[in-house]
Structure formats: structure tokens, C-alpha cells
Amino acid sequence: MHETGSTEIVIVCHGFRSSKDRIPMTNLAVALEKEGISAFRFDFAGNGESEGVFRYGSYHRETDDLRAVVQYFLGEKRSIAAIIGHSKGGNVVLLYASMYNDVCNVVNISGRFDLKRGIEGRLGKDFLERIKQHGSIDVKNRRGKVEYCVTEESLMDRLTTDTHAACLSIPHSCRVLTVHGSMDEMVPVEDAKEFTKYISNTKLHIIDGADHEYTKHQDELASIVLNFLAVNPHEDKDMPMQFASCTREKKFHSRF
């Protein structure tokens, strides 16, 4: 928890088999904290320090985890200024926005639009046939150690998660920023462009040369996110930046 005493809070979500302590989650939370905005990083069930068993897919389960976090802070009389997700977390925050009408700023960092892609790289060729035949597939690391098991049910959870429908369901009152690196080796930059076709109130920013983790572009990523959150959609674009949240507490001017 990056507590600044602000009523407003930003929730930051990690990606696939990641944790709250990975880049860029930590750096974004610190950047928000420096601007006086409280930020909360957490681990989805079965990841990092959280309890539970890791499950492949689980997009809706992780959306439920995020829902529990949002409801907790709302119960504590905090205002959810934004939800931010990296990689798979980007998909989760978009799913959340399509299901619940209690957030008005969403940041999707390197999310995957086409969830049918990227599977073969982890599960190998003919994964559908093999999983139907054997019921599951063990995913091993380079040393041959099993890292996790993919069941047919968990695979279908991913394949039936409809990103297109979710994007269409996000209300226009919800502002969405999609950020992607032009050199992302995990999720093609073309996916970022697909999101913008179906989300009604959206902005797209491609960071030239950035990889999936924004290894050499942390400051640029933080600057883009903070400037998006600082824009007041109800005022002239040439006016000084004001923090755009569902319930504005105060003006803030980004130092980036």
C-alpha cells in the first residue's frame, strides 16, 4: 500500500504468473505516490503472496478478485480514481469496467486483445488435441520442471473470454487509456490498436522501442499514465491539468 492520505486511490493489477512486486507495477505505484495519490498493489489468488492455487485462464476469477478489492476500499470511504492493469491485468481491468459502473478511469498496459494467440508458445503445437486426449498439459521450464498445469476447463476459460464484447460493453463515461510498446515481444502491438476500435472513449499511446516490461521506458510509461489521469475531460484541453476521477478531491499537477 502506497498511502498518502488521499481519499482517492489507484488500484494496480499485475499480469500472468506475475506479482504485485514486479515492474512496472511498483514503479507506477511509486510515481502515483509522489504525486500525492494513494496506490494499492495486490496479488491475484494463486500468485505472489496470495493464497490459493494458480489457475491458467481465470480471467473472470481475477476480475472477482479486483471486485473484492474495489468494494473493500469503497467500504472504507475511499474513491477509486483508476484501475491499472499490466499484460493480463490489462484484460482484467477492461473486463471489470465492462461489468461494473463504479470506475471512470482505466489504464490497459500491454493487454492482449486476441486471447487465442500466444497459447502455442506456452503449450506447444496441437495443444487442443493433446488436452482433449489427456485432460491437461503440464507446462515445464527449460530445466524440465513442471511450473503449472493447464486443464481443459482452464484453457476454455481463456478461449471463451470475449475481449471484443467486453470492450463494446464499457460505458462511454469510462475513460480508457491503452499503452503498448512497439517492441513488445510477448503481445503484438497490433493488439493495442484493436482495443481502440471497440472502446468508445479511449486513447492509445505506443511507446517507441519499449518491450513488454518497459525495461528501459519506466519514466516514460509513468509520465503517460499520470498525464492521462490528470486530464479533466470536462474542461478545455488547454486549461491546467486536474486529476480526473469519479469524485474529485483536489487539483494536482503532474511533475512529469
Side-chain angles (χ1 to χ4, degrees):
M1 179 70 177
H2 300 255
E3 182 62 79
T4 67
S6 66
T7 300
E8 294 167 327
I9 188 166
V10 175
I11 301 172
V12 184
C13 305
H14 66 76
F16 177 77
R17 282 183 59 79
S18 185
S19 79
K20 65 181 184 300
D21 297 324
R22 288 283 297 275
I23 295 174
M25 280 65 68
T26 301
N27 285 357
L28 283 170
V30 169
L32 286 159
E33 184 180 15
K34 288 180 179 178
E35 295 290 348
I37 305 300
S38 299
F40 181 73
R41 298 176 287 118
F42 73 100
D43 292 324
F44 289 115
N47 292 268
E49 298 177 338
S50 287
E51 298 178 350
V53 178
F54 171 80
R55 295 178 187 172
Y56 186 82
S58 298
Y59 287 84
H60 287 89
R61 184 177 81 157
E62 294 188 357
T63 303
D64 290 342
D65 288 348
L66 176 56
R67 178 63 173 165
V69 173
V70 169
Q71 288 188 309
Y72 169 78
F73 283 114
L74 291 177
E76 294 294 309
K77 308 302 181 183
R78 307 294 288 265
S79 172
I80 308 302
I83 52 176
I84 300 174
H86 173 248
S87 194
K88 184 185 178 185
N91 291 86
V92 171
V93 296
L94 292 173
L95 278 172
Y96 185 95
S98 74
M99 298 168 64
Y100 303 103
N101 194 27
D102 55 7
V103 294
C104 59
N105 294 304
V106 174
V107 181
N108 161 36
I109 302 171
S110 303
R112 185 185 294 277
F113 185 85
D114 186 354
L115 295 180
K116 294 180 175 63
R117 295 202 297 185
I119 299 176
E120 188 174 295
R122 287 194 171 98
L123 305 188
K125 296 181 179 180
D126 304 319
F127 60 86
L128 272 175
E129 291 79 1
R130 289 188 292 114
I131 207 166
K132 287 184 179 295
Q133 180 181 355
H134 302 291
S136 64
I137 295 175
D138 288 334
V139 179
K140 301 178 181 179
N141 60 22
R142 294 178 180 177
R143 297 180 180 179
K145 181 180 179 181
V146 175
E147 292 193 327
Y148 58 95
C149 176
V150 178
T151 63
E152 183 175 359
E153 179 184 7
S154 63
L155 176 62
M156 294 311 296
D157 178 278
R158 172 167 174 157
L159 292 176
T160 57
T161 298
D162 193 338
T163 306
H164 172 261
C167 290
L168 291 174
S169 298
I170 297 173
H172 186 77
S173 58
C174 181
R175 303 167 63 241
V176 178
L177 169 68
T178 291
V179 185
H180 216 100
S182 68
M183 300 300 290
D184 192 322
E185 71 287 3
M186 298 292 292
V187 180
V189 69
E190 289 74 22
D191 280 45
K193 299 172 184 177
E194 289 297 307
F195 285 114
T196 64
K197 293 179 181 179
Y198 306 108
I199 301 173
S200 65
N201 188 357
T202 185
K203 291 185 177 181
L204 171 65
H205 198 114
I206 306 297
I207 299 182
D208 187 42
D211 59 17
H212 192 64
E213 296 285 337
Y214 299 84
T215 307
K216 298 179 180 180
H217 297 80
Q218 290 297 310
D219 288 345
E220 187 173 356
L221 174 63
S223 175
I224 291 166
V225 171
L226 286 171
N227 285 333
F228 171 77
L229 296 179
V231 169
N232 185 344
H234 304 297
E235 294 182 1
D236 187 272
K237 63 181 180 180
D238 294 325
M239 294 291 287
M241 289 186 297
Q242 181 180 16
F243 191 72
S245 65
C246 299
T247 305
R248 291 183 179 83
E249 180 188 45
K250 63 177 182 178
K251 292 186 177 181
F252 106 90
H253 304 275
S254 174
R255 291 190 293 271
F256 281 82

